[in-house]
């Protein structure tokens, strides 16, 4: 991937999308193959060096994964508070600034349990950008949100790239979102990237598997787990 | 026949695997204890959770255990005229056995369950993964403070349990049975040795470390949503309690022989 690129990985449930993200950021270690970040093979790094590389990343989780024992600004300022280079009051100021960037004002003292799903996503995004990472990873950023909130999150992802010039990898199965935020889209099927192209190329693809997925059709070469194809064809 | 061997084999492998993972976690914890940053604030927070907040239950348990122990020994020892030794029996059994073991069981039920449930929930809601993405080692941030707190707070709680239990025994012996207060204290101090107390505290250290390690392990490797968290919590309490009761025999055999 190029610096500053926005890549979206699409694929069905259980195709290995989340696993890709966890490998990129080094939470999981690959059984086979290598992950290179800025030319460095993560496999060759010891634990301490790996944590240095992790500082280049920010990640937005599907369910936001906010720390429920801390309030909103402590969540956003988590890394800065731990680095202890700044006083808590300064960190709080930075957290409020990051929250404003994602469109949230006046909620810094609330607990995560008091927030709606969309707000949690925004706080999660503010936390992911608080330590000014170079690479942002989004794990199904629009899943579980209403269409309007989902589009607002898409706009935020685009804004992050434009204002912070970060590289981003998004995994999703929301095609509206994918077309909107991607420079390029890769389709993951059965653990293998079967096609990569611009949103336009993917939309008009000749590959029947990709075609079925982007059209959102139950009928086609992709089998639905646990459901026999005959039944679907009967119904169709 | 082969089916049975397979079943037994599977159980043995499962136990070996679990033990191995607990030991690996222990090695990781010991390594992380000595690497900066030192989680001082977190350690104090956990000492509060594991230690200070368990104190009321420990006090009540120890007080009534001491009282019932004095009640039973007094009436029993009366049969052969040895009631003067109630103080000795209460003090020895509390410092050597009941203090550390009862405190251990209480903390396993109270703090062990809380640790497993908290870490388990953090695991299934991806908060532990989130820590990693925020350049924070979850073993260092979550497990080390709980381990150190368990190690330090269990003996502290045991000291309270010992004192309160002996006091409870005194109240029953002197207050209910009208025995001599002087005799009770004299018999207590005559036969109680410093080694009884500190060997009891060594046991408590071991129990504290075991509870924290096992509960963290169960929480840390939780999978399967809400049901998984429930299983992890039950598992933590059962395994911690079993570890306390079984290891107590071997520790006693080693420390008090």
């Amino acid at each position: 991937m190029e610096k500053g690129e926005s890549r979206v990985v699409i694929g069905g449930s259980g195709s290995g999308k989340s696993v890709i993200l966890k490998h990129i950021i080094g939470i999981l270690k690959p059984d086979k193959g290598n992950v290179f970040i800025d030319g460095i093979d993560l496999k060759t790094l010891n634990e301490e060096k790996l944590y240095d590389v992790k500082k280049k990343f920010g990640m937005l989780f599907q369910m936001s994964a906010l720390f429920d024992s801390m309030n909103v600004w402590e969540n956003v300022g988590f890394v800065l508070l731990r680095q202890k280079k700044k006083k808590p009051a300064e960190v709080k100021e930075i957290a409020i600034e990051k929250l404003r960037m994602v469109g949230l004002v006046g909620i810094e003292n609330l607990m995560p349990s008091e927030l709606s799903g969309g707000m949690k996503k925004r706080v999660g995004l503010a936390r992911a950008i608080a330590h000014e990472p170079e690479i942002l990873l989004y794990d199904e950023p629009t899943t579980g949100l209403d269409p309007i909130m989902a589009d607002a999150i898409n706009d935020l992802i685009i804004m992050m790239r434009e204002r912070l010039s970060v590289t981003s990898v998004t995994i999703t199965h929301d095609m509206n979102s994918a077309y909107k935020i991607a420079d390029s889209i890769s389709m993951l099927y059965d653990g293998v990237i079967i096609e990569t192209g611009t949103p336009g190329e993917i939309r008009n693809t000749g590959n029947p598997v990709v075609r079925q997925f982007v059209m959102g059709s139950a009928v086609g070469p992709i089998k639905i787990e646990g459901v026999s194809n005959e039944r679907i064809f009967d119904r169709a | 026949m082969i089916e049975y061997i397979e079943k037994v084999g599977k159980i043995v492998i499962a136990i070996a695997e679990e033990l191995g993972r607990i030991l690996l976690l222990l090695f990781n914890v010991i390594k992380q204890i000595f690497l900066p940053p030192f989680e001082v604030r977190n350690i104090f927070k956990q000492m509060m959770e594991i230690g200070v907040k368990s104190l009321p239950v420990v006090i009540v348990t120890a007080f009534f255990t001491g009282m019932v122990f004095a009640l039973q020994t007094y009436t029993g020892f009366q049969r052969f005229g040895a009631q003067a030794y109630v103080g000795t029996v209460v003090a020895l059994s509390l410092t050597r056995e009941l203090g550390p073991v009862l405190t251990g069981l209480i903390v396993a039920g109270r703090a062990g369950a809380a640790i497993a449930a908290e870490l388990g929930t953090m695991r299934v809601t991806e908060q532990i993964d989130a820590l990693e993405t925020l350049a924070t080692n979850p073993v260092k941030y979550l497990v080390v403070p709980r381990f150190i707190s368990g190690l330090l707070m269990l003996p502290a709680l045991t000291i309270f349990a010992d004192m309160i239990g002996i006091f409870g025994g005194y109240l029953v012996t002197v207050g209910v049975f009208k025995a001599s207060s002087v005799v009770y204290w004299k018999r207590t101090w005559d036969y109680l040795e410093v080694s009884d107390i500190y060997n009891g505290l060594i046991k408590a250290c071991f129990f504290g470390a075991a509870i924290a390690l096992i509960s963290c392990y169960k929480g840390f490797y939780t999978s399967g949503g809400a049901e998984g968290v429930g299983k992890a919590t039950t598992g933590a309490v059962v395994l911690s309690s079993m570890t306390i009761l079984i290891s107590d025999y071997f520790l006693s055999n080693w420390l008090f022989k």
Side-chain angles (χ1 to χ4, degrees), chain A residues 22 25-27 47-48 51 54-55 57 59 61-63 65-70 78-79 82 84 127 131 139, chain B residues 28 31-32 35 37-39 41-42 45 118 121-122 125-127 129-138 141:
Chain A
K22 287 185 178 169
I25 200 166
I27 297 176
E47 212 175 324
E48 277 68 42
Y51 277 104
K54 282 178 186 171
K55 286 179 188 149
F57 287 96
M59 180 161 171
F61 285 85
Q62 193 179 342
M63 309 300 283
L66 299 179
F67 303 125
D68 40 29
S69 58
M70 299 170 201
F78 182 82
V79 175
R82 280 184 64 75
K84 290 187 180 139
R127 181 176 72 180
H131 56 287
D139 185 356
Chain B
N28 199 354
K31 188 180 117 194
Q32 295 295 338
L35 292 174
F38 304 106
E39 307 280 343
R41 215 178 121 212
N42 261 332
K45 196 177 152 203
E118 187 182 358
T121 307
M122 287 186 77
T125 56
E126 293 187 307
Q127 290 178 52
D129 287 338
L131 279 174
E132 295 232 25
T133 68
L134 296 167
T136 301
N137 184 329
Y141 183 75

Side-chain angles (χ1 to χ4, degrees), chain B residues 80-103:
Chain B
F80 45 91
Q83 56 274 50
Y85 289 95
V86 171
T88 316
V89 174
V90 169
L92 285 185
S93 24
L94 272 162
T95 52
R96 291 165 74 124
E97 273 306 319
L98 293 173
V101 172
L102 286 177
T103 309

